[in-house]
């Protein structure tokens, strides 16, 4: 072969020659400490209930939730985000089970804190949708619209009972205007100044939430497009980001993760607070379903998807594979 001068003068492939070389020069590293495990706990069951649309994920009993939390600690996972699934008969228009000190989520928070103490950052979903008979994230007006300001009053109550139950972090996910400020005031006024807020800052009205509806036993009628963000918009998410930080958010989130890596990267460029991304139920279900068909390499696809989220700027990733991946990465 004839070689012309020094062509090619640069050979990036030299840094890809072996697994050890690729590992050494990797720009993005995924670590167990980056991961947060979302977990569901269901009232009134004596065995975990499989979620058909999310193979390998369950609605836990209190006992199996304790076990899952302990396994997460052992694997080196940093946090757990809890979602309560109340009995259907306890749902009502105002979601009162969500503010009952003996509601399923509050009971679960106490159980997990008793099990793991401060070894895991215990987070709680702060939203009404699991507890309302209409399935919306807030209180409805007479004509069926979500009443933003009436909902904020309920969120303030939820923040207090979740903090009382032991939450280190509350995660307001309802996308009500002003929710972070109201929750911060409620926490501070009730002696919970040390409880952090993980703001669901950019939460898009996504088609990928489908399996989650089964996971929480959703009673949703209609959709949430009047309060969750339009997938077409970018600047709107940056406005939400500025507002949440002004209101006192300690951490911010983009949800879903995979379809919104551009938003995640913009957040990472814009702020100096920790940034989370939620790899949601539909993202999980697609990989599991394709792997079950033999169409993709499951383990490789999981790691690639998480690495992409980390590369885009997330310091924390909520993923249903958290414990499994942490174990694979070697944990602590």
């Amino acid at each position: 072969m004839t070689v012309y001068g020094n062509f090619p003068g640069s050979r990036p492939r030299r840094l890809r020659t072996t697994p050890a070389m690729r590992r050494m020069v990797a720009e993005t590293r995924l670590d167990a400490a980056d991961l947060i495990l979302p977990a569901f706990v269901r009232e009134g069951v004596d065995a975990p209930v499989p979620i058909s649309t999310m193979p390998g994920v369950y609605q836990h009993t209190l006992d199996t939730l304790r076990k899952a939390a302990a396994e997460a600690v052992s694997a080196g996972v940093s946090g757990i985000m809890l979602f309560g699934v109340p009995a259907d008969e306890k749902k009502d228009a105002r979601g009162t089970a969500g503010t009952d000190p003996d509601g399923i989520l509050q009971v679960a928070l106490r159980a997990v804190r008793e099990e793991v103490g401060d070894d895991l950052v215990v987070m709680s979903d702060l939203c009404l949708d699991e507890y309302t008979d209409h399935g919306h994230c807030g209180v409805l007006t007479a004509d069926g619209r979500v009443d933003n300001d009436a909902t904020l009053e309920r969120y303030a109550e939820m923040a207090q009972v979740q903090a009382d139950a032991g939450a280190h972090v509350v995660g307001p996910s309802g996308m009500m205007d002003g929710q972070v400020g109201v929750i911060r005031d409620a926490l501070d006024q009730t002696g919970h100044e040390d409880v952090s807020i993980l703001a669901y800052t950019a939460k898009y009205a996504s088609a990928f939430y489908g399996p989650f509806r089964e996971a929480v036993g959703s009673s949703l009628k209609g959709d949430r497009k009047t309060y969750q963000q339009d997938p077409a918009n970018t600047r709107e998410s940056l406005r939400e980001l500025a507002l949440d930080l002004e209101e006192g958010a300690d951490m911010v989130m983009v949800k879903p993760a995979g379809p919104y890596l551009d938003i995640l990267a913009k957040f990472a460029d814009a702020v100096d607070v920790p940034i989370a991304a939620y790899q949601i139920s539909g993202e999980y279900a697609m990989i599991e379903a394709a792997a079950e068909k033999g169409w993709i390499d499951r383990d490789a696809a999981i790691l690639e998807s998480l690495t992409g989220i980390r590369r885009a700027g997330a310091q924390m990733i909520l993923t249903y594979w958290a414990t499994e991946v942490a174990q694979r990465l070697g944990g602590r």
Side-chain angles (χ1 to χ4, degrees):
M1 175 182 177
T2 302
V3 177
Y4 299 94
N6 293 324
F7 179 82
S10 180
R11 294 182 183 271
R13 286 182 56 191
R14 293 185 186 120
L15 301 183
R16 305 172 195 155
T17 52
T18 68
M21 178 68 79
R22 293 191 294 273
R23 185 171 63 248
M24 183 178 74
V25 301
E27 299 172 33
T28 303
R29 299 185 190 279
L30 192 64
D31 189 88
D34 302 331
L35 306 177
I36 297 166
L37 176 68
F40 307 100
V41 57
R42 179 170 171 176
E43 187 171 26
V45 295
D46 54 14
V49 179
I51 299 168
S52 66
T53 50
M54 299 176 68
V57 181
Y58 298 84
Q59 294 172 328
H60 285 287
T61 68
L62 288 171
D63 286 341
T64 62
L65 179 65
R66 284 174 175 266
K67 181 179 178 182
E71 288 176 348
V73 171
S74 296
V77 170
S78 284
I80 187 168
M81 174 68 79
L82 301 183
F83 296 85
V85 184
D88 284 343
E89 62 271 17
K90 292 189 177 178
K91 296 182 181 183
D92 60 27
R94 292 181 58 79
T96 53
T99 50
D100 180 352
D102 294 318
I104 183 59
L105 181 54
Q106 285 67 253
V107 172
L109 284 165
R110 290 193 290 270
V112 171
R113 281 300 304 274
E114 182 179 287
E115 184 70 29
V116 300
D118 293 332
D119 290 341
L120 199 62
V121 179
V122 179
M123 305 177 172
S124 55
D125 178 61
L126 199 163
C127 196
L128 288 171
D129 60 318
E130 296 100 318
Y131 310 101
T132 55
D133 53 13
H134 47 73
H136 279 286
C137 297
V139 179
L140 301 185
T141 62
D143 60 357
R145 293 179 298 108
V146 175
D147 187 327
N148 191 95
D149 295 359
T151 299
L152 294 182
E153 294 179 15
R154 299 287 294 126
Y155 286 3
E157 296 175 51
M158 291 189 81
Q160 180 178 345
V161 297
Q162 290 179 4
D164 286 344
H168 293 110
V169 178
V170 295
S173 60
M175 291 299 287
M176 297 297 117
D177 294 339
Q179 62 185 15
V180 172
V182 166
I183 290 166
R184 183 72 270 161
D185 285 346
L187 291 169
D188 291 351
Q189 291 171 18
T190 55
H192 295 297
E193 297 90 348
D194 289 340
V195 174
S196 301
I197 298 175
L198 170 56
Y200 283 60
T201 297
K203 183 179 180 182
Y204 284 88
S206 174
F208 293 97
Y209 295 133
F212 183 86
R213 305 281 158 78
E214 179 190 352
V216 296
S218 175
S219 303
L220 180 65
K221 301 175 178 66
D223 59 51
R224 298 180 175 132
K225 293 181 180 179
T226 61
Y227 46 100
Q228 292 179 352
Q229 283 187 243
D230 185 340
N233 293 349
T234 296
R235 289 193 300 272
E236 182 183 31
S237 68
L238 297 176
R239 185 182 183 198
E240 293 278 7
L241 176 62
L243 289 168
D244 280 355
L245 292 175
E246 182 181 341
E247 292 173 24
D250 300 288
M251 300 168 278
V252 296
M253 185 194 293
V254 175
K255 181 180 180 180
Y260 298 92
L261 295 182
D262 59 325
I263 306 301
L264 182 56
K266 288 181 183 296
F267 276 28
D269 288 341
V271 303
D272 58 4
V273 299
I275 298 171
Y278 198 145
Q279 186 181 53
I280 65 169
S281 59
E283 297 176 76
Y284 175 95
M286 286 192 301
I287 290 177
E288 290 288 352
E292 191 275 330
K293 293 279 189 182
W295 294 342
I296 61 172
D297 180 327
R298 176 185 180 274
D299 291 355
I302 291 169
L303 286 179
E304 183 177 341
S305 68
L306 292 171
T307 300
I309 295 166
R310 184 75 178 84
R311 187 188 63 242
Q315 295 159 273
M316 304 169 290
I317 305 172
L318 287 84
T319 175
Y320 299 99
W321 290 301
T323 301
E324 175 190 338
V325 169
Q327 291 168 340
R328 210 187 316 167
L329 293 172
R332 295 174 182 272

